[in-house]
Each structure stands twice: as C-alpha cells, then as structure tokens.
C-alpha cells in the first residue's frame, strides 16, 4: 500500500537528494513514523507486509543475507495510561536490537486522547535520540485509522506543528507505475492501455488491487480486465459491495460523511472550498460550522481519498483549488442513497 519513497522514509534510507539534493544514502538506526489511512487504502496490510522491509536495508547493517525481516511487536495505545509505560516497553525492545532488527507497530485506538498520543510519539522520539549504541535498526510505526485521524484534525492547535516536525505518511491510490509492476508480477497484459483500464476500473484503491490479486490466484487463466467479470470495476459496484467498500474507506465512522457526500454527489461538476462549506452547513447540526471546522471536514475527505483535488489558474493568475468526487465514489454514494436503481 506504500510507494517506494514511503518505504525509504520508514527504513531511514531516504536519500539526501530527496531532502537536500546531495545524493548520498544514509541508514538510520531509529525511525518513528505516523501512517494515516483507511483499510481501503491499505492500512490493514501494513502490519503483515512492513516487517519484510529489512530485506532492502540489511546490507547497511552488515546483517547476514538470510536475516530479511524485522522482529515485530504489536501494541495498542489503549494499553497505556501514561507515556512512561510505553517508554519502558520500548526501551526493552531497543535493547533487543543488539542482535536483531526490531519493529514496533502501534495501533492508535479511536478513543485515545490526543494528549496521550502525542506523549507516546514524544517518548518514541526521545528514546530514538539516545539509541546510538545499538547494532540493528528499530522502527516504530503508529497506525492511524479514519476515526483517530478525525480526532487528530479536530485538535489542530496541538497537531498542526507536529506534521512539519515528524515523519508522516498518508496512504493513497496506486500510481500507474505501481499498477504496471503489479500486472507484470501477475503475468497479465501490461500495455499502457491495459494499465489505464485497470486504473479506471480500480480507481487505484488498494482494496481493489488486493481483490484483483485474489481473483488472479483463484483463476490462473485471467490475463486482462474483462476476464475478472462484471462485479470487479469499482464504478459499477452494486449495493452490497458498494456498502462494503465505503465501510473499508471509513465513511460510516463519521456520522456526517455519507449525508455530505450525498449532497456533493448531487452537485454538478467540481466545487471550491466555499461551495463545500455551504454544502456542509446544510447538514444536520452543522449550520454554525466555522471555517476551521470546515477545513477539518474537507481534509478528512481528501486524505481518505474520498475527494480529488485539482489546482487551476484563476483570472488573477492565482492558483485555485477545486474538488470533486472520484467517479467510483460518486457512483457508490448514488447507489446507496437511492439515486440509482440497482439490483443485488
């Protein structure tokens, strides 16, 4: 669910060219990363796939060739009442990095208070700054789902500055180069047109890509899009599957999300921030929403990939941002809101 650039950020192998245009590669012993997204974007697949990242950095730590995975520790923010408790457990994990690479995957529970979460992140950073004598790397991944992210956005007075100071990855859609590589791996037709058709059918969603991989494993003779059958393309999902997808995307976790998306789906064409705020104010209980609150709603939908963003030049040469519902999201919202007649 991540780009190669994201993976390099997690492993600490980001090139200086990426940051300072110097071009040197450096390996870090300790990194702490906040990963934000929904299961539709691949958040649920971070835990089973990320330990294998050590395979791309073992040579930087003079590790044996057969040592290609992190030893993984799963914890939840719900387990801790104070940052000190987390710091104690993390210290024990760092001690194990004398022999083996360590990864701590922290699931952020929706009910976790922002003050505690920031304390846990600070505890990891403080320990990381002192982790200079270990031989193997330690990676701490904080996994933030849709509900926890909404809480994060609502506490901008505490979190805004953090986003500039820490490593944050927003999971997103697959790009065409990644789709092309997947088609090659699946031994499917990987022409430019085939990549375009898959991108159109999946919207680049990890959820759809994962389903495609599963279907391919079940039917070895699949070689192109039409072999998957009519239920595969997201822009034509029927009620049951549309509901399942939006659940994976986190929509039902926000009481305001589906009504707002329905209103936006009824509008024609793109809309700007003012149009968005007007649509938001029409929703129950949101008539007095402030501009700051409206921005939080907009950013949540955007970062969950439920809106697309486009930058255009206005009459005064200033860049103007407009937004739209992706075709597959618009279709599913219309299906579930009764705008289209469908049969399961």
């Amino acid at each position: 669910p991540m780009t190669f650039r994201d993976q390099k950020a997690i492993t600490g192998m980001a090139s200086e060219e990426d940051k300072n245009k110097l071009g040197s590669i450096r390996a870090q012993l300790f990194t702490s990363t906040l990963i934000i997204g929904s299961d539709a974007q691949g958040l649920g697949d971070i835990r089973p796939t990320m330990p294998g990242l050590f395979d791309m950095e073992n040579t930087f730590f003079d590790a044996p060739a057969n040592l290609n995975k992190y030893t993984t520790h799963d914890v939840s923010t719900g387990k801790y009442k104070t940052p000190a408790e987390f710091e104690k457990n993390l210290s024990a994990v760092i001690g194990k990095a004398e022999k083996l690479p360590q990864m701590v995957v922290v699931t952020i529970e929706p009910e976790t208070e922002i003050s505690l979460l920031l304390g846990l992140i600070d505890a990891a950073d403080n320990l990381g700054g002192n982790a200079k004598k270990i031989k193997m790397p330690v990676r701490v991944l904080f996994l933030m789902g849709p509900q926890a992210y909404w809480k994060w956005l609502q506490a901008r007075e505490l979190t805004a500055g953090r986003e500039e100071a820490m490593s944050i990855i927003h999971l997103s859609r697959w790009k065409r180069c990644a789709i092309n590589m997947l088609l090659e791996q699946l031994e499917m037709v990987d022409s430019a047109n085939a990549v375009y058709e898959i991108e159109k059918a999946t919207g680049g969603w990890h959820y759809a890509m994962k389903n495609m991989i599963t279907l391919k494993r079940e039917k070895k003779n699949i070689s192109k899009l039409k072999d998957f059958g009519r239920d595969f393309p997201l822009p034509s999902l029927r009620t049951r599957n549309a509901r399942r997808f939006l659940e994976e995307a986190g929509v039902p976790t926000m009481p305001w999300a589906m009504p707002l998306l329905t209103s936006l789906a009824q509008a024609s064409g793109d809309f700007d921030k003012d149009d968005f705020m007007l649509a938001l104010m029409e929703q129950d209980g949101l008539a007095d929403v402030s501009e700051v609150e409206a921005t939080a709603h907009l950013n949540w939908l955007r970062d969950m990939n439920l809106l697309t963003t486009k930058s255009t030049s206005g009459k005064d040469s200033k860049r103007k941002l407009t937004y739209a519902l992706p075709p597959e999201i618009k279709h599913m919202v219309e299906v579930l809101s009764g705008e289209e007649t469908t049969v399961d």
Side-chain angles (χ1 to χ4, degrees):
M2 290 187 179
T3 65
F4 182 60
R5 188 186 183 94
D6 291 337
Q7 293 174 0
K8 289 197 299 180
I10 288 178
T11 60
M13 289 174 59
S15 69
E16 293 298 333
E17 183 178 3
D18 292 336
K19 296 182 178 180
N20 300 319
K21 304 300 181 182
L22 297 178
S24 60
I25 299 291
R26 56 190 173 86
Q28 296 182 19
L29 280 170
F30 185 98
T31 59
S32 176
T33 308
L34 175 61
I35 302 173
I36 300 169
S38 67
D39 284 342
Q41 293 171 309
L43 188 69
D45 286 323
I46 295 297
R47 168 58 183 86
T49 58
M50 289 301 103
L53 283 181
F54 189 67
D55 189 44
M56 65 185 282
E57 59 174 336
N58 60 359
T59 56
F60 285 85
F61 298 97
D62 297 321
N66 61 350
L67 181 56
N68 55 15
K69 287 188 176 182
Y70 282 94
T71 298
T72 310
H73 310 267
D74 298 296
V75 297
S76 165
T77 54
K79 176 182 178 180
Y80 303 103
K81 295 182 178 179
T82 66
E85 296 173 6
F86 177 64
E87 188 169 349
K88 180 180 179 180
N89 287 359
L90 188 54
S91 293
V93 171
I94 291 176
K96 297 177 182 179
E98 182 67 24
K99 296 182 179 180
L100 295 171
Q102 307 291 319
M103 178 174 284
V104 180
V105 181
V106 185
T107 299
I108 301 172
E109 299 295 340
E111 58 271 15
T112 299
E113 294 298 328
I114 288 295
S115 57
L116 175 59
L117 173 59
L118 294 178
L120 300 182
I121 292 173
D122 286 342
D125 289 340
N126 292 337
L127 283 175
N130 298 320
K132 299 177 181 178
K133 297 181 180 180
I134 57 177
K135 292 182 179 180
M136 292 293 175
V138 176
R139 311 297 177 212
V140 182
L141 307 182
F142 290 91
L143 306 187
M144 179 177 282
Q147 287 177 279
Y149 185 48
W150 174 241
K151 207 166 190 176
W152 178 273
L153 289 173
Q154 287 183 301
R156 299 307 287 164
E157 71 280 3
L158 299 175
T159 61
R162 295 301 187 105
E163 295 186 2
E164 298 178 2
M166 64 187 298
S167 174
I168 297 180
I169 293 172
H170 287 274
L171 298 180
S172 191
R173 301 164 181 268
W174 285 43
K175 299 185 183 300
R176 289 189 183 182
C177 57
I179 295 174
N180 182 261
M181 291 178 62
L182 177 62
L183 293 179
E184 288 182 7
Q185 292 172 5
L186 295 177
E187 298 181 345
M188 294 176 59
V189 176
D190 61 343
S191 65
N193 186 62
V195 171
Y196 170 76
E197 291 296 330
I198 292 293
E199 180 185 43
K200 184 179 178 182
T202 64
W205 288 91
H206 180 81
Y207 173 92
M209 296 298 176
K210 188 175 179 180
N211 286 347
M212 189 173 76
I213 294 171
T214 300
L215 290 170
K216 172 62 176 176
R217 288 174 177 169
E218 293 174 352
K219 300 179 180 179
K220 303 292 185 182
N221 61 337
I222 289 178
S223 64
K224 47 190 176 297
L225 177 62
K226 68 178 185 179
D227 297 335
F228 286 108
R230 67 173 187 170
D231 288 333
F232 177 69
L234 291 186
S236 62
L237 287 183
R238 294 174 290 178
T239 305
R240 183 177 57 220
N241 289 334
R243 182 176 293 109
R244 183 180 302 133
F245 176 87
L246 292 181
E247 287 173 355
E248 294 286 311
V251 172
T253 65
M254 299 293 111
W256 51 265
M258 191 61 184
L260 178 57
L261 288 172
T262 301
S263 295
L264 295 174
Q266 293 170 348
S268 57
D270 298 352
F271 51 88
D272 60 18
K273 190 173 181 179
D274 290 338
D275 297 327
F276 178 84
M277 189 162 183
L278 288 174
L280 185 62
M281 292 172 68
E282 292 174 355
Q283 308 307 311
D284 291 342
L286 296 175
D288 298 323
V289 67
S290 68
E291 186 173 352
V292 172
E293 292 168 333
T295 299
H297 287 78
L298 181 63
N299 289 349
W300 187 89
L301 291 172
R302 179 201 63 196
D303 293 338
M304 293 298 108
N305 286 153
L306 298 169
L307 293 181
T308 58
T309 306
K310 182 166 57 177
S311 177
T312 57
S313 295
K315 295 181 179 179
D316 55 0
S317 298
K318 292 183 179 179
R319 305 300 294 178
K320 180 181 179 180
L321 290 178
T322 57
Y323 308 89
L325 267 65
E328 69 280 1
I329 299 300
K330 187 175 188 296
H331 163 77
M332 286 185 266
V333 169
E334 289 174 342
V335 166
L336 295 179
S337 63
E339 287 296 314
E340 290 187 7
T341 302
T342 59
V343 179
D344 261 333

